[in-house]
Amino acid sequence: MAIVINMPRLSDTMEEGTVAAWLKNVGDKVEEGDILAEIETDKATMEFESFNEGVLLHIGVQEGETTKVDQLLAIIGEDGEDISELLNVSSIETKIQEPSSDEINSNIVEDTPMLNTIIPEGVTVVTMPRLSDTMEEGTVAAWLKQVGDEVEEGDILAEIETDKATMEFESFQSGALLYVGLKEGESAKVDALLAIIGPKGTDVSGITSGFTIDNSETEYKVQKESVKEEIKIEEPKEVKEISKSTERIFVSPLAKKIAKEKGVNLSGIKGTGENGRIVKRDVENYKPEMASASVGKFVPKAQEDFDEKPNSQMRKVIAKRLAESKFSAPHYYLNVEFDMENAIAFRAQFNSMPETKISYNDMIVKACALALKKHPQVNSQWFSDKMKLNNHVHIGVAVAVEDGLVVPVVKFANEQSLPQIGSSVKDFAGRARVKKLTPAEMEGSTFTISNLGMFGIESFTSIINQPNSAILSVGAIVEKPIVKNGMVIPGNTMKLTLACDHRTVDGATGAQFLQTLKGYIENPVTMLL
């Protein structure tokens, strides 16, 4: 079924938009998340992405042309679908003239609450933006600025959840954040009061008192110098509720949509939004097995019971590739235990620098990258007709996600600093868990690291991520008695296991690699030389 895409409201003051450029042409295949066009607003030129999939059947506004918000921009549907009826309806709607200001005023109900006030000089009222063509209300997922903070034009004010995605909302004004109309987890309709920005110390109580959160439609009349403007403020969307007996569950629209798509029972999720409201991150981070482990499904005694869960596409691919690796590559394993005293001290000193934070995993990635440059045989790849000895180092870092495991790749890891590696890994891990990694970011690894130390696992073995020749399994740092210089003293050690493909890496080669790695880990300052 064809979907009409209207000109979106990409800023809080936008009334019309100009198509600067189309990034898709009629007939092109459009995927959810693809950039459809670049739209010029009254403040900036912004990319407009598609929230629908299909074929671009019609373009309603050509490059350089301008149209008002909510007017026909494009139509997406199935290839060859008849859209003539949609075009006829759209053409009729565009001919309807807007009512005059007198007609608008005559339609205002006399007993509608009104407020007359002066907007102080330099103050801007920021309303809930329309961030997608179908958005009717938004939920504040997170504020990136707090009341009193200085805001520059272009700064990200907040993350807003729509019915389809969580998007960053940037400020088009500079000044101090004077007022926040919604707390994290709260929702409101498009054009409702979101925030007020202006000179620090400005009294905005007269403005905020006109924005009341109730179920009545409010007309808020403001005056600025000699210009009178009428701003219609729609009531915020009522908090969505799902009733189960007498229990009320508060959930944002996007979180509810994601939960429905995943088949997740909202009653088992603990909300982290305002007043315990369930927001997008709660659904995405929810793991059914964790809930079942803590609560448990009720099963009568002496009764067998099970649940069936269809295998996801990711799970099928993981099963296929790991089975192929395990049964085609002759695995063998080398176990070592490193002294971590110097590594602990090095990390503490490194993180004492302002705005610097690295993890032990970042140090391991860097150390492996440097060691691999000295042992290209371990940095090799096996193919049926040849062996490739890589002179570049691309390290895959295994990240657990709900459906299985993904391996984003830190490319040219040996050339990156520890903070750069840390930033990359953190970014990859965050986007992996919300399925935002691109295929290019998960391709090309020459070596892989899997770390379960944060779960308290002391040692384990991994299956090689083919066509790599080796994978390193990293355990937890454990405090234990150690023997040093003939004396038993308290110490900290970490166990690692290197799984190697015997077709490319002989035992001695793997052992020499681990010796080099030991030098870097036990004397981390050498990684900086």
Side-chain angles (χ1 to χ4, degrees), residues 208-228:
T208 61
S209 61
F211 290 81
T212 57
I213 300 178
D214 54 31
N215 293 325
S216 63
E217 192 174 76
T218 304
E219 293 290 337
Y220 179 43
K221 181 175 286 186
V222 299
Q223 298 177 8
K224 186 175 183 181
E225 297 174 351
S226 60
V227 180
K228 293 185 178 180

Side-chain angles (χ1 to χ4, degrees), residues 10 35 42 89 169 175 236 277 336 352:
L10 296 173
I35 304 300
D42 56 329
V89 171
F169 174 54
R277 193 170 201 227
V336 290
S352 67

Side-chain angles (χ1 to χ4, degrees), residues 451-518:
N451 191 339
L452 293 178
M454 68 285 293
F455 297 106
I457 303 300
E458 293 188 20
S459 66
F460 65 104
T461 59
S462 302
I463 299 174
I464 297 170
N465 180 30
Q466 289 191 332
N468 295 174
S469 292
I471 182 171
L472 185 69
S473 304
V474 181
I477 297 176
V478 177
E479 187 175 12
K480 59 188 288 189
I482 62 172
V483 178
K484 187 173 288 188
N485 299 324
M487 299 179 62
V488 178
I489 61 173
N492 289 275
T493 66
M494 180 175 66
K495 293 179 180 179
L496 303 94
T497 302
L498 182 69
C500 302
D501 184 342
H502 220 318
R503 296 174 298 183
T504 51
V505 182
D506 294 327
T509 304
Q512 289 165 0
F513 166 78
L514 288 173
Q515 284 182 334
T516 303
L517 182 64
K518 177 185 176 74

Side-chain angles (χ1 to χ4, degrees), residues 10 194 211 223 298 320 363 440 447 479 486:
L10 296 173
L194 182 64
F211 290 81
Q223 298 177 8
F298 172 75
K320 180 174 182 289
M363 294 168 62
F447 184 84
E479 187 175 12

Side-chain angles (χ1 to χ4, degrees), residues 371-411:
L372 288 167
K373 285 293 290 182
K374 296 182 178 182
H375 301 277
Q377 196 77 22
V378 183
N379 196 42
S380 64
Q381 293 171 304
W382 172 266
F383 297 94
S384 59
D385 59 340
K386 62 181 179 293
M387 184 191 307
K388 182 191 289 184
L389 303 179
N390 295 295
N391 297 313
H392 61 276
V393 180
H394 293 345
I395 294 188
V397 180
V399 177
V401 295
E402 183 179 352
D403 293 333
L405 192 73
V406 294
V407 185
V409 180
V410 181
K411 297 187 176 179

Side-chain angles (χ1 to χ4, degrees), residues 182-334:
L182 295 173
K183 296 178 182 178
E184 291 185 358
E186 290 185 343
S187 299
K189 276 188 172 291
V190 169
D191 293 334
L193 176 62
L194 182 64
I196 300 176
I197 294 174
K200 183 167 288 188
T202 305
D203 180 12
V204 294
S205 57
I207 301 175
T208 61
S209 61
F211 290 81
T212 57
I213 300 178
D214 54 31
N215 293 325
S216 63
E217 192 174 76
T218 304
E219 293 290 337
Y220 179 43
K221 181 175 286 186
V222 299
Q223 298 177 8
K224 186 175 183 181
E225 297 174 351
S226 60
V227 180
K228 293 185 178 180
E229 303 178 38
E230 290 195 350
I231 306 173
K232 182 177 181 180
I233 306 300
E234 295 181 281
E235 76 280 2
K237 184 82 171 180
E238 247 181 34
V239 174
K240 291 185 175 291
E241 299 176 13
I242 299 177
S243 298
K244 184 179 179 181
S245 302
T246 58
E247 181 184 6
R248 294 167 58 183
I249 299 177
F250 297 91
V251 55
S252 73
L254 180 58
K256 181 181 178 183
K257 180 175 183 288
I258 295 173
K260 183 177 180 181
E261 292 173 350
K262 291 187 172 185
V264 173
N265 185 352
L266 290 169
S267 63
I269 301 178
K270 183 179 179 180
T272 60
E274 184 70 16
N275 298 320
R277 193 170 201 227
I278 298 171
V279 292
K280 179 190 175 205
R281 62 175 176 267
D282 300 322
V283 180
E284 291 178 334
N285 295 333
Y286 174 70
K287 295 182 178 180
E289 60 270 21
M290 293 175 63
S292 61
S294 60
V295 180
K297 178 182 177 182
F298 172 75
V299 178
K301 290 183 178 180
Q303 178 175 314
E304 295 181 351
D305 183 83
F306 63 89
D307 295 315
E308 290 188 349
K309 180 181 179 181
N311 292 326
S312 65
Q313 189 61 32
M314 178 183 288
R315 179 58 61 187
K316 291 176 182 177
V317 171
I318 290 173
K320 180 174 182 289
R321 290 181 179 173
L322 292 184
E324 288 175 350
S325 177
K326 184 66 176 177
F327 297 115
S328 66
H331 286 54
Y332 72 91
Y333 305 93
L334 300 174

Side-chain angles (χ1 to χ4, degrees), residues 344-355:
I344 292 172
F346 174 85
R347 177 174 178 264
Q349 187 172 8
F350 203 99
N351 286 346
S352 67
M353 293 186 290
E355 299 181 2

